[in-house]
Structure formats: structure tokens, C-alpha cells
Amino acid sequence: MTNILVNGRLKAWANKRASLYRAEDGDVVRRWAIMEYGLALKSRLDIISDIKEGRHIEIKLGGWQVAPYPLYLICPERRLIDPLFNAVKEYLIDCVQNVLA
């Protein structure tokens, strides 16, 4: 058993499988975490629905923080950046902020 801090409370946690799992597919890692294969380091945006539905819990580790990774919107050519593109960009920003709220 290992003690971890979950939402400000100390809880005991036991890994059902002792071996180390690695994958380059984020959905595989997500499913492993749901099946309780261990802890997963995932983007909150990727698993927010799992958190809200109780399939994942967020663990806050005091003094330890993951570097933020930006989300990019890519336009193939600079000349295509027009008011419509900017409107789509603002819409996506609002959507992401609402999902994470």
C-alpha cells in the first residue's frame, strides 16, 4: 500500500499490477488508468469527462507540478488568417475554457 494525497486527503492506494506499463497512445494510457493499472499523467482536457463522471480522480501532489503544454491552432498560410479564422479561434478558446471550468 502507498499513501497518496487525493483532493487534499491522504488515502491508501495499492497497484493491482506491479509491472511497469508504457504506451505512446494516450487513449491506451487513459483506459489503463480506468482499469486501475496505476497512475496516469494526462492532459486535463483529454480526461475531463472521465473526471466529471467519476472514472478518474485528480491527484494534487504538493510542490510538484507538470509543465503546461500549449494547444495550437494551425493555419497553413498566413494569408488565410482573416476575421473568420479569428472568430473560430475565439470560439475554440471559449469552448475549451468552458469544458475545463
Side-chain angles (χ1 to χ4, degrees):
M1 285 283 192
T2 303
N3 289 325
I4 59 173
L5 197 62
V6 179
N7 296 328
R9 295 193 171 120
L10 197 60
K11 298 207 175 188
W13 176 76
N15 189 348
K16 292 181 178 180
R17 293 148 185 94
S19 59
L20 181 64
Y21 291 89
R22 292 182 184 198
E24 292 185 17
D25 183 333
D27 189 55
V28 169
V29 173
R30 182 187 143 274
R31 286 184 277 135
W32 283 344
I34 290 171
M35 294 185 307
E36 298 181 9
Y37 277 43
L39 301 175
L41 179 62
K42 294 284 299 164
S43 162
R44 195 162 194 271
L45 186 59
D46 288 343
I47 61 167
I48 192 67
S49 62
D50 293 325
I51 292 170
K52 288 180 178 178
E53 294 174 20
R55 290 190 298 262
H56 284 304
I57 56 172
E58 228 172 340
I59 300 173
K60 308 263 188 212
L61 300 174
W64 192 79
Q65 195 171 327
V66 177
Y69 289 98
L71 182 62
Y72 291 101
L73 178 63
I74 299 171
C75 185
E77 294 181 33
R78 187 170 197 80
R79 66 180 178 83
L80 297 175
I81 299 175
D82 60 3
L84 179 59
F85 180 88
N86 287 325
V88 169
K89 178 183 78 172
E90 293 302 319
Y91 172 76
L92 291 174
I93 289 170
D94 288 343
C95 288
V96 168
Q97 288 174 342
N98 288 334
V99 166
L100 294 177

